[in-house]
Amino acid sequence: MKKINAPLIRQRADPHIYKHTDGYYYFTASVPEYDRIELRRAKTIAGLADASAVDVWRKPETGKYSKLIWAPELHFNQGAWYIYFAAAPSMDIKDKLFQHRMYVISNNNPNPMIGEWTFLGQVDTGMDTFCLDATTFTHNEKLYYLWAQKDAEIEGNSNLYIAPMITPWRIAGAPIMLSKPEFDWECRGFRVNEGPSVLKRHGKIFITYSASATDENYAMGLLWTNQTADILNPASWTKAAEPVFKTCYEHGIYGPGHNSFTCGENNDEVILVYHARTYAEIVGDPLWNPDRHTFVKKLNWDEQGMPVFGAPSDC
């Protein structure tokens, strides 16, 4: 009998797991209340399920970043810890979108669970529009920022952009668009490209991202290029025409997406981290439905060195 995947952590969306050089796995995600950033750590991925959560930052009562704290990601960049996240000044929707901007906090303590977190402010992209889902990665000893943002001249909610960084909290130069919603599967409910994550393997750089509305239509896409290519040139990137990871109706796992990658406990395996729901019929506003759960599964590879995601039902 086929073993069906089960959630690792319930009611945690937009999950991010990072394995540090201290041997610990660190976990953060959007909490259902959208009011804080929490961290937990454990020596194993399975151990994260029962690890104690520590609130490292709470939103203020009012101000530009006082509502809807979304999609935190923990990164260790240039000798310090950084958490990148999105927040809005209110619940108001303007021009059909929330008003999120991207922010960053930092911590110099070797243990981010106990150190003091400092609010560094907004990550300014030069585009004063809805933006979210920032991640960072290092390539050829340079730090890059990768995120989702609205362009007023392009139909839809958000596209994917990249820029080099001057510091872990400031980008250099104008944003470069790598992808926008264009295929049917990216435009169901909403025209969305968001939640990018980076993986480097087999001489290639892969970017996964999520598309469409956050219901059963939510699915993951893939961009890739060679590690020797100019990653700031959009022409260097190839985009898959079909989703690489999507709802499994047979086993009832819906809307998998907003993923991250971590390494297995032997450091050779790649583990796919993502959220999904276990039912399709959402009562009320999907924004306030808490039942997007964190799942993990092993990522496989084909003979050409391309990732094979399989189905979210597979362990």
Side-chain angles (χ1 to χ4, degrees), residues 98-151:
F98 286 107
Q99 298 302 298
H100 284 76
R101 300 296 186 268
M102 298 176 295
Y103 299 91
V104 58
I105 58 177
S106 70
N107 185 344
N108 292 318
N109 194 296
N111 181 357
M113 307 291 290
I114 62 174
E116 180 181 353
W117 286 89
T118 302
F119 182 79
L120 298 181
Q122 182 179 343
V123 179
D124 183 5
T125 67
M127 299 166 59
D128 189 22
T129 57
F130 171 78
C131 53
L132 72 173
D133 294 352
T135 192
T136 64
F137 69 100
T138 298
H139 182 58
N140 292 337
E141 299 183 351
K142 292 183 180 179
L143 185 63
Y144 291 88
Y145 195 68
L146 179 65
W147 74 99
Q149 187 154 8
K150 167 67 178 176
D151 184 329

Side-chain angles (χ1 to χ4, degrees), residues 29 50 73 90 106 110 121 125 163 171 179 183 211 213 226 248 253 256 263 266 272 309 311 315:
D50 298 318
E73 283 201 9
S90 71
S106 70
T125 67
I171 70 167
S179 178
F183 300 120
N226 292 323
C248 178
I253 300 182
C263 56
N266 63 9
L272 174 67
F309 291 84
C315 292

Side-chain angles (χ1 to χ4, degrees), residues 72-103:
E73 283 201 9
L74 175 71
H75 294 264
F76 190 79
N77 289 331
Q78 300 176 4
W81 295 98
Y82 295 87
I83 295 178
Y84 303 89
F85 65 97
S90 71
M91 297 286 292
D92 296 341
I93 294 177
K94 297 181 180 179
D95 299 323
K96 300 181 181 180
L97 290 168
F98 286 107
Q99 298 302 298
H100 284 76
R101 300 296 186 268
M102 298 176 295
Y103 299 91

